[in-house]
Amino acid sequence: QVQLVESGGGLVQPGGSLRLSCAASGSIFSIYVMGWYRQAPGKQRELVARITSGGRTNYADSVKGRFTISIDNAKNTVYLQMNNLRPEDTAVYYCNAYIMTVAGPGFRDERDYWGQGTQVTVSA
């Protein structure tokens, strides 16, 4: 149905920057919301940021002022610009999207989709 492909993770030093991308593909009728979650070692998965197709955003308190989420509706792609990275940001980052698909004439389905995750490591 739908695939979410993430890219842009890697190893950076404290204070550095990374830009994550997540492209959705498949039989997409409409994307309602796209966002980023992360799971650090020994921690539960948490919301980092989300954005609606209309551009409404929401951020975790820990990343406000440092991270910026954006969406390109024409490309079905969401981005996460991460600046002034800290060791505490180290985690696997997962792309998430709530999407309506069209399986056939007159049939639609709505559900959450998840990417495979991309590792972000912040260390000197």
Side-chain angles (χ1 to χ4, degrees), residues 60-105:
D61 288 340
S62 60
V63 308
K64 287 180 179 177
R66 300 188 298 122
F67 293 9
T68 302
I69 191 169
S70 60
I71 189 168
D72 186 333
N73 291 303
K75 297 180 179 179
N76 292 330
T77 300
V78 66
Y79 305 93
L80 185 67
Q81 179 66 47
M82 304 186 294
N83 298 325
N84 193 24
L85 284 161
R86 306 166 179 170
E88 308 91 82
D89 296 317
T90 296
V92 177
Y93 284 70
Y94 297 90
C95 180
N96 170 258
Y98 190 73
I99 297 173
M100 176 183 287
T101 60
V102 179

Side-chain angles (χ1 to χ4, degrees), residues 4-70:
L4 302 180
V5 180
E6 301 130 320
S7 62
L11 173 64
V12 296
Q13 294 184 343
S17 298
L18 283 174
R19 183 177 175 86
L20 305 184
S21 300
C22 175
S25 62
S27 301
I28 299 171
F29 181 82
S30 180
I31 297 177
Y32 298 110
V33 184
M34 296 190 78
W36 292 93
Y37 291 72
R38 68 185 181 188
Q39 188 163 20
K43 302 290 185 179
Q44 292 184 245
R45 188 173 300 187
E46 65 174 349
L47 174 69
V48 178
R50 62 160 64 100
I51 185 169
T52 69
S53 60
R56 186 176 182 179
T57 60
N58 186 41
Y59 295 91
D61 288 340
S62 60
V63 308
K64 287 180 179 177
R66 300 188 298 122
F67 293 9
T68 302
I69 191 169
S70 60

